[in-house]
Amino acid sequence: MGKARIIDGNEIAAKVLAEVKSETEGFAAETGRPPGLAVVLVGDDPASSVYVRMKIKDCGRCGIESFSHRLPAETPTEKILDLVNRLNGDDKVDGILVQLPLPEGVDTISVLDRIDPAKDVDGFHPINVGRLVRGDHAVLMPCTPSGVMRMLDESGVNPHGARAVVIGRSDIVGKPVALLLLHRHATVTICHSKTPDLPGVVREADIVVAAVGRPLMVEKDWVKEGAAVIDVGMNSISREESPEVITTDPTRIRDFEKKGYTLVGDVSPGVVDVAGWYTPVPGGVGPMTRAMLMANTMNAAKWRAG
Ligand code: NDP
C-alpha cells in the first residue's frame, strides 16, 4: 500500500473549468458576447483531430464560443498566415490556438510568431516567452506548465526554498515549468538526455517534474522519501503495435485498453511507495493542460476588454 497522496488532475481541472464558467457568464453579461477561441487544424493527423475535438468540447462546457478552422494538409504557409491575420483582426476571437504539429513543409515558427501576443493562448509567442522569463504576472503562460503549478498549489506543495528537478528541456514543458518554479523561489535543476547520473540528481529533489516522453523511466529508487512527483509524460505502450492516438479522454482510454494499448507516464507508478505526492497517468497533468487553455482564453478576453 503506497503512502503518496494522489493529486487528482480530473478533480482540479473540473474546479478550474467551473471557475472559468462563472467568469465567462460575468464577461458575457458585461460585454454582450462570450469569450471566443479559434482553433486551427491543418491536415488530418488523427491525434491532433482528437485534441481539437476535446478542446472544442471544453469550450462548450465553460461558455466559450469556439470557431473551428480546418485546412487541408497541403495548405501553403502563406494561406495559414492569411487566416491568422484574419483571426488577429476578428473582435469575437480572444484566443487563437494553432494545433501542433503542423504538417511537414509548413513554417511553424512563422505561423506561431504571427499570432497576436494578446491572443496567444498557448503562450508560445516570443513576446509571451520573454514576459514569462521576466516573471510578469499578466502573461499568457503555456498551458501544461501552468497546470503543473496549479496542481502543486492545490495540493499545498510550496516550491519556496524547495529543490526542484525538471527532467526535459523542451520549449513547451521543461523550460517554462523550470522558470515558473524558479519564480516561486525553488532551486531548480533542469536535466536532459546528456545529464550524467540522472537518478542521483533526481534523488536530491523535493519536487520532480518528468517531461521526457519515455515510458516509466523514473523508478521508485530515484525518488526521495516524501517528494512531490509530477508526471507530465504521455506514452502509449502496446504489446503488438503502437496506437496512432494518445489521449487523456477516459472513453478513448477504455477503448485503447480493449485493443491492448495502455497510456502510461514517464514515472513508474511504484514511486507511490516513497513519494509524498504523485500525479497519475491518465488523470493527472493531461486534464489540467486542457483546463488551463480555457483559463487562458478567459484571461485573454478580460485583458483585451481592458
Ligand atoms: P520533447 O521530446 O520535446 O522533449 C523531451 C525532453 O526529454 C528533451 O529535453 C530530452 O533531452 C529529454 N530526454 C529524452 N530522453 C531522455 C533521457 N533518457 N534522460 C533524460 N532526459 C531525456 O518532449 P515534450 O516536452 O514535448 O513532452 C514530454 C512528454 O510530455 C511527452 O511524453 C509528451 O507526450 C508529454 N506531454 C504531455 C502533455 C500533457 O498535457 N500531459 C503536454 C505536452 C507534452 P534533449 O533535449 O537532450 O534531447
Side-chain angles (χ1 to χ4, degrees):
M1 185 56 186
K3 70 178 181 82
R5 277 155 279 185
I6 302 298
I7 306 179
D8 185 337
N10 283 316
E11 194 180 302
I12 303 170
K15 187 171 165 186
V16 172
L17 291 177
E19 286 165 10
V20 173
K21 188 165 196 292
S22 80
E23 284 199 72
T24 59
E25 283 160 5
F27 179 88
E30 248 175 61
T31 64
R33 68 166 183 92
L37 175 66
V39 183
V40 178
L41 176 62
V42 187
D44 45 18
D45 176 66
S48 293
S49 304
V50 171
Y51 290 141
V52 162
R53 265 208 307 278
M54 295 195 302
K55 286 166 186 173
I56 290 171
K57 203 165 129 197
D58 288 340
C59 285
R61 280 175 67 186
C62 52
I64 292 174
E65 187 171 6
S66 59
F67 305 95
S68 172
H69 295 269
R70 283 162 193 265
L71 301 172
E74 55 284 0
T75 308
T77 302
E78 275 309 314
K79 282 249 180 266
I80 305 172
L81 293 176
D82 287 346
L83 173 60
V84 172
N85 284 341
R86 262 189 287 131
L87 297 172
N88 282 343
D90 185 339
D91 244 1
K92 295 197 294 299
V93 172
D94 298 292
I96 302 170
L97 181 134
V98 177
Q99 185 64 42
L100 300 180
L102 287 167
E104 225 169 283
V106 175
D107 181 352
T108 302
I109 299 283
S110 298
V111 173
L112 296 182
D113 287 3
R114 185 60 66 91
I115 296 172
D116 178 348
K119 298 188 176 188
D120 168 39
V121 283
D122 252 341
F124 295 158
H125 191 285
I127 295 258
N128 287 322
V129 175
R131 286 180 181 146
L132 174 62
V133 172
R134 209 163 64 173
D136 290 359
H137 290 296
V139 60
L140 293 168
M141 278 189 279
C143 301
T144 304
S146 56
V148 167
M149 297 309 287
R150 177 75 189 250
M151 291 177 104
L152 292 174
D153 287 340
E154 291 282 338
S155 314
V157 178
N158 189 354
H160 194 119
R163 282 292 310 266
V165 168
V166 177
I167 319 173
R169 55 174 163 180
S170 72
D171 292 336
I172 62 165
V173 190
K175 283 180 203 160
V177 92
L179 280 167
L180 291 175
L181 287 162
L182 183 65
H183 294 324
R184 296 281 302 277
H185 311 297
T187 300
V188 184
T189 304
I190 306 175
C191 302
H192 46 77
S193 65
K194 312 293 184 287
T195 301
D197 186 23
L198 184 60
V201 179
V202 173
R203 237 172 254 129
E204 290 177 7
D206 305 304
I207 297 172
V208 181
V209 180
V212 188
R214 292 190 176 259
L216 310 175
M217 185 183 83
V218 177
E219 303 274 359
K220 178 163 128 178
D221 67 355
W222 295 24
V223 172
K224 182 162 103 177
E225 182 90 25
V229 181
I230 309 296
D231 190 354
V232 178
M234 287 207 302
N235 314 288
S236 53
I237 52 173
S238 135
R239 276 178 295 276
E240 285 141 30
E241 56 178 284
S242 290
E244 72 282 24
V245 177
I246 300 172
T247 177
T248 56
D249 181 270
T251 319
R252 292 197 62 89
I253 289 159
R254 277 195 293 277
D255 207 39
F256 283 162
E257 280 166 356
K258 267 191 235 144
K259 292 180 188 149
Y261 304 136
T262 314
L263 187 70
V264 297
D266 291 338
V267 177
S268 162
V271 303
V272 292
D273 292 339
V274 282
W277 291 266
Y278 166 72
T279 64
V281 176
V285 176
M288 288 304 294
T289 297
R290 289 170 53 189
M292 298 318 279
L293 174 66
M294 299 298 115
N296 269 359
T297 305
M298 184 62 243
N299 283 335
K302 274 191 308 202
W303 294 336
R304 287 185 64 249

